[in-house]
Amino acid sequence: MNRPPMTKKGAERLRGELERLKSEERPRIIAAIAEARAHGDLKENAEYHAARELQGFIEGRIKELEAALSTAEVIDIERLNAGKRIVFGAIVELSDEDSGEEITYQIVGDLEADIKQRLISVSSPFARALIGKNEGDSFSFTAPNGTRNYEIVAVRYES
């Protein structure tokens, strides 16, 4: 079986979310369902149906996190010793050769990816284009909005 990679920091963040869902959200929803039940007729009780729907979402997320954390290969990226070569866990500083804009991404596991935090999935086309390249390399990437040319300004590994 292929174990999906996950950074140590990402695993800790997901464990924190799992703990919060189990210790705070689950009891809160159970209480909301009990309160909605106390209001009587459940067929026309919007609070009851909303609480049940939220309960389903939370239980699904708990199962998803438990499964991901139990199968993931947690990698301590500080021990990789990849130097200036890009591998899983790398923090990559890029310069758009056309606009001069600089941007930094970290390559992480699928479940911990969050573009708003500049965490890109190792299985994304952009991350796959980066893997194996070295600091100082230039490359072209064809995105839906056209081809972009980048220079890899810096590569580092930190947790």
Side-chain angles (χ1 to χ4, degrees), residues 95-126:
S95 175
D96 185 319
E97 292 180 336
D98 303 315
S99 71
E101 179 186 351
E102 296 213 347
I103 192 151
T104 301
Y105 291 111
Q106 182 175 17
I107 300 172
V108 298
D110 292 339
L111 198 62
E112 60 186 311
D114 182 350
I115 195 67
K116 289 180 192 136
Q117 295 184 37
R118 305 268 186 238
L119 302 172
I120 59 172
S121 168
V122 66
S123 61
S124 72
F126 194 69

Side-chain angles (χ1 to χ4, degrees), residues 15-141:
R15 279 191 200 99
E17 180 185 350
L18 179 61
E19 183 56 38
R20 184 183 56 77
L21 288 172
K22 285 180 162 183
S23 65
E24 296 172 25
E25 296 299 319
R26 185 186 265 167
R28 187 178 63 77
I29 292 301
I30 291 170
I33 290 171
E35 184 180 326
R37 271 200 180 122
H39 293 292
D41 187 10
L42 298 181
K43 277 186 256 173
E44 296 178 17
N45 188 329
E47 290 91 10
Y48 173 77
H49 292 290
R52 290 291 301 198
E53 191 173 315
L54 187 56
Q55 182 184 37
F57 172 78
I58 287 171
E59 294 303 325
R61 183 67 177 159
I62 287 171
K63 283 184 176 54
E64 178 184 28
L65 291 172
E66 286 176 339
L69 289 166
S70 70
T71 60
E73 180 178 352
V74 178
I75 297 171
D76 184 353
I77 55 179
E78 290 182 337
R79 296 175 183 236
L80 290 177
N81 288 332
K84 298 300 176 182
R85 197 168 141 263
I86 300 172
V87 298
F88 176 83
I91 297 169
V92 184
E93 291 178 39
L94 300 168
S95 175
D96 185 319
E97 292 180 336
D98 303 315
S99 71
E101 179 186 351
E102 296 213 347
I103 192 151
T104 301
Y105 291 111
Q106 182 175 17
I107 300 172
V108 298
D110 292 339
L111 198 62
E112 60 186 311
D114 182 350
I115 195 67
K116 289 180 192 136
Q117 295 184 37
R118 305 268 186 238
L119 302 172
I120 59 172
S121 168
V122 66
S123 61
S124 72
F126 194 69
R128 288 200 306 260
L130 287 168
I131 300 236
K133 293 192 173 41
N134 294 290
E135 188 175 294
D137 287 354
S138 289
F139 71 100
S140 295
F141 179 75

